[in-house]
Amino acid sequence: MNLSLQDIAWHRSVGQLIESLDQPNFWLSLVRLLGEYVPFDSWVVLLFSSGRPQVFAECPGEDGGPDPLFQDYLKGLYLLDPFYIASREHPRSGLQRLADVAPECFEQTDYYQRYFRLNVVADEVQFNVQLDGERTLCLSLGSKGRFNPEQIALLDLVRPWVSSLMRQRMAFERELLESAVAPAPRWQSRLEETVERLETPLTARELEVGRLMLSGCSSKEIARKLTISAETVKVHRKHMYSKLGIKSQSELFSLFLQAQA
């Protein structure tokens, strides 16, 4: 069996990572290793669960401090993140691309225009490790350009090593897990607080239609997810807009942001 110098370098680096599993710089070392093979511009390590995502490590902002846009994400925008939604609806381990999980109209949403394309810019891939029925450990890589098929294939090739390292690392994240905050309320509850002054509050179905709209689902996608007709979706949207006194999805997104504050 012939090994290339690149093969040898990879196995040596993985061995070094195994030795550093209990070290504070583990995540940064893992990300730097991946960056030697596939270029990317941002990264974050998250734990998705039923509550607010927990951050284990992240790349610094442009000024070296916390990224304010990412702080908005943690306050509540994560509820519109296609990767978060996928982890709740179809939890599984593996490598996911944005194209795998993004709804049909994702790039037309205010979430995409006002957060995603500014923070992640163009594309994102995510290593998922399903820890149990509720928790998914995620390493996300963001890029200013689209990941090409060769880069995706390479990331998928090294996924077994990366996933194993991520899973083993969890034994040394206990302190952060033990200090976890209580689960954040669902976005429906937050929006309900904003519109509770209304004499005719939104129904549960209207709230669900609103969430799916904001995440980028088309009327057909919403109808399929909720097992209703596309015409019924339009009726729910019309009633929701009327009750809220708004005329557009952008205004609905603004209400959602108010609910986060």
Side-chain angles (χ1 to χ4, degrees):
M1 179 179 179
N2 295 322
L3 291 176
S4 68
L5 291 177
Q6 192 175 37
D7 292 331
I8 295 172
W10 168 261
H11 285 88
R12 178 183 297 167
S13 297
V14 171
Q16 292 171 344
L17 280 170
I18 294 173
E19 290 292 331
S20 67
L21 274 168
D22 61 342
Q23 298 301 308
N25 66 340
F26 168 78
W27 292 115
L28 180 58
S29 298
L30 174 58
V31 166
R32 284 176 173 171
L33 174 59
L34 292 173
E36 292 179 9
Y37 295 86
V38 174
F40 49 86
D41 300 291
S42 61
W43 60 273
V44 64
V45 183
L46 296 164
L47 184 69
F48 286 155
S49 64
S50 59
R52 194 189 307 274
Q54 292 176 257
V55 182
F56 292 150
E58 63 178 298
C59 61
E62 293 183 359
D63 60 355
D67 186 337
L69 280 175
F70 187 62
Q71 297 309 305
D72 289 339
Y73 174 87
L74 293 176
K75 289 179 182 178
L77 284 179
Y78 68 89
L79 293 164
L80 304 179
D81 177 10
F83 288 99
Y84 175 82
I85 294 171
S87 77
R88 306 312 300 156
E89 294 182 347
H90 308 288
R92 65 180 181 85
S93 296
L95 182 72
Q96 286 189 325
R97 302 174 300 166
L98 179 63
D100 296 330
V101 297
E104 183 178 344
C105 303
F106 177 63
E107 293 188 4
Q108 301 170 26
T109 63
D110 285 85
Y111 171 77
Y112 177 86
Q113 296 294 333
R114 296 166 63 174
Y115 172 77
F116 188 91
R117 73 182 183 88
L118 299 179
N119 199 44
V120 182
V121 180
D123 204 0
E124 185 176 6
V125 294
Q126 187 164 281
F127 292 95
N128 284 348
V129 177
Q130 196 64 32
L131 301 176
D132 51 42
E134 281 293 314
R135 302 179 305 157
T136 307
L137 178 62
C138 313
L139 168 56
S140 289
L141 308 177
S143 174
K144 294 179 180 179
R146 300 289 182 185
F147 290 104
N148 62 45
E150 291 76 15
Q151 291 170 333
I152 296 296
L154 181 54
L155 289 174
D156 199 36
L157 181 65
V158 303
R159 179 186 56 80
W161 282 283
V162 175
S163 297
S164 295
L165 287 165
M166 291 171 63
R167 188 180 296 277
Q168 292 301 316
R169 171 64 183 182
M170 289 305 293
F172 305 99
E173 298 287 0
R174 289 175 181 169
E175 182 176 345
L176 183 58
L177 290 174
E178 290 172 356
S179 62
V181 297
R186 295 179 302 169
W187 90 273
Q188 288 96 328
S189 300
R190 296 180 177 207
L191 190 55
E192 282 172 343
E193 292 174 4
T194 304
V195 300
E196 62 182 358
R197 65 184 182 277
L198 298 174
E199 295 181 1
T200 53
L202 301 182
T203 66
R205 182 50 58 91
E206 289 166 350
L207 286 164
E208 187 65 11
V209 168
R211 180 187 70 81
L212 292 170
M213 285 172 49
L214 290 178
S215 67
C217 291
S218 66
S219 293
K220 289 183 178 180
E221 287 178 308
I222 296 174
R224 185 175 65 252
K225 285 176 177 286
L226 301 182
T227 321
I228 57 179
S229 71
E231 287 303 315
T232 301
V233 171
K234 294 177 182 178
V235 170
H236 284 310
R237 180 177 62 195
K238 181 180 179 181
H239 289 169
M240 177 173 55
Y241 281 10
S242 177
K243 290 178 180 180
L244 295 175
I246 60 177
K247 296 181 180 180
S248 68
Q249 189 169 310
S250 291
E251 291 180 277
L252 180 62
F253 184 74
S254 295
L255 281 177
F256 174 71
L257 292 181
Q258 292 175 27
Q260 291 186 72

